[in-house]
Amino acid sequence: MPTPPMILLLSGSVRSGSSNEAALRTVRAVAPDRLRVVLHEGPAELPHFNPDDDHDPLPPAVARLRAAIDEAAAVLICTPEYAGTLPGAFKNLLDWTVGGTEICDKPTAWINVAAPGRGHGAEATLRTVLGYTGARIVEPACVRIPVAPGTAGPDGVLTDADVRERLAEVLDALTA
C-alpha cells in the first residue's frame, strides 16, 4: 500500500497554548486517512538566518526543515501577526526556505485565526515572502477562521464543530 501524501503544517508561533498551533493540531485531527499530516516541530531551534551559512552541510535544524518541505505534497501555514507583520522566528524559518528549491511550485496555503480585522499584515508579508520562494499559493485554501483564545481542549485541539469543519475544508481545497 502506498504511503499517503504528507501535508506539512508550519506554525508561526512558538508560544505555548497558541491559537495558531491549536488550529494546526485540529487540522491534523480532522485529516482524512488518505493524508498524512505532520506538524513541524522546532521553529525555535533554527539558527538566525545568515546567507553565509546557506550551504551544505546545512545546520541540522535547517536540513530537517528543508527535508520536511521536500517530502511534503503541500504546506499549510498558520501564523499570528506581531507588530503588523510576521513574527521574527517565523520570518527566520521562511528566510531559510528562500535559498532552497524545496518549496518552489509546492501547493501552499495559510489559515488566519486572528480576530476579525486583524492579521492582514501577516498575510500580506506571507504572500510576499512565499512569492520569493516560488511556492504555489492555493487561493481557495487561504482562509480566515477566527479562533477565540481558550477554545482548545486539554489536548490542544479546537472543540468548535464549525471551526473543525472549516479546517477540514481547507485540507480538501489544498489537496484538490
Side-chain angles (χ1 to χ4, degrees):
M1 175 180 281
T3 303
M6 191 259 278
I7 308 303
L8 182 64
L9 307 177
L10 297 176
S11 176
S13 179
V14 294
R15 185 176 63 82
S16 174
S18 159
S19 297
N20 297 277
E21 194 156 319
L24 293 176
R25 283 190 180 116
T26 306
V27 166
R28 189 173 54 193
V30 301
D33 291 340
R34 65 179 174 81
L35 299 174
R36 184 170 52 102
V37 180
V38 176
L39 179 61
H40 176 70
E41 303 289 340
E45 296 172 10
L46 291 168
H48 293 288
F49 176 72
N50 180 344
D52 292 339
D53 297 332
D54 195 0
H55 59 78
D56 288 327
L58 290 167
V62 176
R64 285 190 299 276
L65 170 66
R66 286 188 178 175
I69 293 170
D70 191 46
E71 181 185 352
V75 176
L76 183 60
I77 297 166
C78 191
T79 183
E81 177 179 281
Y82 291 139
T85 190
L86 296 172
F90 191 65
K91 177 63 169 67
N92 184 59
L93 179 150
L94 292 174
D95 285 345
W96 278 111
T97 70
V98 173
T101 59
E102 298 82 6
I103 201 167
C104 188
D105 290 323
K106 183 90 49 180
T108 304
W110 60 81
I111 304 163
N112 181 336
V113 298
R118 304 199 59 191
H120 297 289
E123 283 184 34
T125 305
L126 190 54
R127 183 178 297 281
T128 298
V129 174
L130 290 174
Y132 280 98
T133 68
R136 182 166 46 91
I137 297 172
V138 180
E139 295 293 343
C142 297
V143 299
R144 297 175 132 285
I145 305 173
V147 171
T151 58
D155 57 357
V157 174
L158 300 171
T159 57
D160 182 287
D162 289 336
V163 169
R164 293 171 67 89
E165 182 177 331
R166 290 192 64 203
L167 292 171
E169 290 169 357
V170 167
L171 267 180
D172 286 342
L174 181 60
T175 58

